[in-house]
Amino acid sequence: MNALTAWSAALFVLLLGGCDAPPPDKPLQYGTQPSAATVTTHRFAVHPLHNPQLLAEAYQPLVDHLNRQLDGVRIELEASRDYQAYEEKFRARGPAILLPNPWQTLEAMKVGYHVIAMAGDAEDFKGIFIVRKDSGIKTPADLKGKTVSYPSPTALAACIMPQYFLHGHGIDINRDIRNAYVGSQESSIMNAYLGKSAAGVTWPPPWRLFQRDHPSEAAQLKLIWETPPLLNNSVMLRDDVPAAVGEAIRKTLLELPQTPAGEKILAAMSTGRFHAADNASYAQVRDYIANFEKDVRPVEKK
């Protein structure tokens, strides 16, 4: 990169809040109406698909729409600084409503959450590898001795599935490459753009948003490989939330594609639609994780 390009990249990282330091863990409490004493407030915690600012831009329209549909209940969007902070929250049974990845879905079931919907098409839940067009990377073997960036070791589509993909292509991910867990999807992509990693791993929705919001940087990158799909993120409810509230949320989510306003909300999240799902829908994820841990590594360090 020339000096001007390097300066632009540095400014871009500064505007994002940096690749290496995850943003602070602060609740995102935006809305159109003040809370009232007679209204029950439920926190809706979305796992770190994006940095908090972008998460608010993507998901606050959905929360506002839910609040217009629900009586006697108010929902507040909550962000987390990284995957581990998010996992600590649901293991403490903090948020009433979750949007976790499929592995986190299995973990949340253990502490009393249950699935009420699936967020997005299953075909869209896959890992993708992003490299610079001038990187010279052509095959997985070209990554040996190099760094690969991911949001988190517990990111299913954006880490676990890609590491299994590399394993299947003859890469020992524990010895042949350096694994950098950089805190967010945007940071993973930016590490590849800046040359900090030979490949940045993410999944389709953040890559689509990156291409939309940062076209000049995205033009210097390319998607080189993708994994087979699995099952998409879930929407979960804590077991002490009234069933009627869960049913109203589920109904509202499933009906989003039926109106132009709902389609606009889905587009902001880069999500095609919500699907009906329950705990049993995620049994195949449990089998996948068991095989990954047997063949590659534990998902979490014990």
Side-chain angles (χ1 to χ4, degrees), residues 27 29 41-45 74-78 89 93-98 238:
Q29 300 180 359
T41 299
H42 293 309
R43 288 182 289 142
F44 180 17
R74 177 171 179 74
I75 297 174
E76 292 181 347
L77 181 63
E78 181 171 325
K89 288 179 182 180
R93 290 174 52 85
I97 310 162
L98 304 176
R238 203 176 57 212

Side-chain angles (χ1 to χ4, degrees), residues 218-271:
Q220 298 180 54
L221 302 170
K222 66 178 180 179
L223 190 163
I224 191 167
W225 311 304
E226 61 182 43
T227 75
L230 189 55
L231 202 66
N232 219 318
N233 300 320
S234 71
V235 180
M236 304 187 81
L237 210 67
R238 203 176 57 212
D239 57 12
D240 57 352
V241 177
V245 173
E247 177 56 27
I249 293 172
R250 186 193 69 84
K251 182 174 183 292
T252 300
L253 294 176
L254 297 183
E255 291 177 350
L256 284 173
Q258 298 177 14
T259 65
E263 289 181 343
K264 185 176 179 180
I265 290 168
L266 291 167
M269 299 182 294
S270 191
T271 299

Side-chain angles (χ1 to χ4, degrees), residues 138-216:
K138 293 183 174 20
T139 71
D142 295 330
L143 294 176
K144 287 187 176 182
K146 296 181 173 64
T147 298
V148 179
S149 56
Y150 322 83
S152 166
T154 61
L156 183 54
C159 179
I160 294 170
M161 292 164 65
Q163 287 183 345
Y164 217 172
F165 172 91
L166 293 177
H167 172 82
H169 285 78
I171 302 296
D172 183 336
I173 68 100
N174 300 300
R175 297 184 179 183
D176 293 342
I177 60 175
R178 294 183 293 272
N179 301 293
Y181 303 109
V182 296
S184 73
Q185 306 284 345
E186 290 84 4
S187 290
S188 183
I189 298 169
M190 277 301 297
N191 268 262
Y193 171 73
L194 295 172
K196 291 186 174 183
S197 62
V201 174
T202 184
W203 68 300
W207 175 232
R208 288 195 293 264
L209 291 176
F210 188 88
Q211 291 173 294
R212 182 196 71 187
D213 296 339
H214 309 291
S216 62

Side-chain angles (χ1 to χ4, degrees), residues 19 44 56 86 102-103 123-124 157 171 182 249 256 274:
C19 286
F44 180 17
Y86 181 76
W103 175 79
E123 294 77 14
D124 205 31
I171 302 296
V182 296
I249 293 172
L256 284 173
F274 287 83

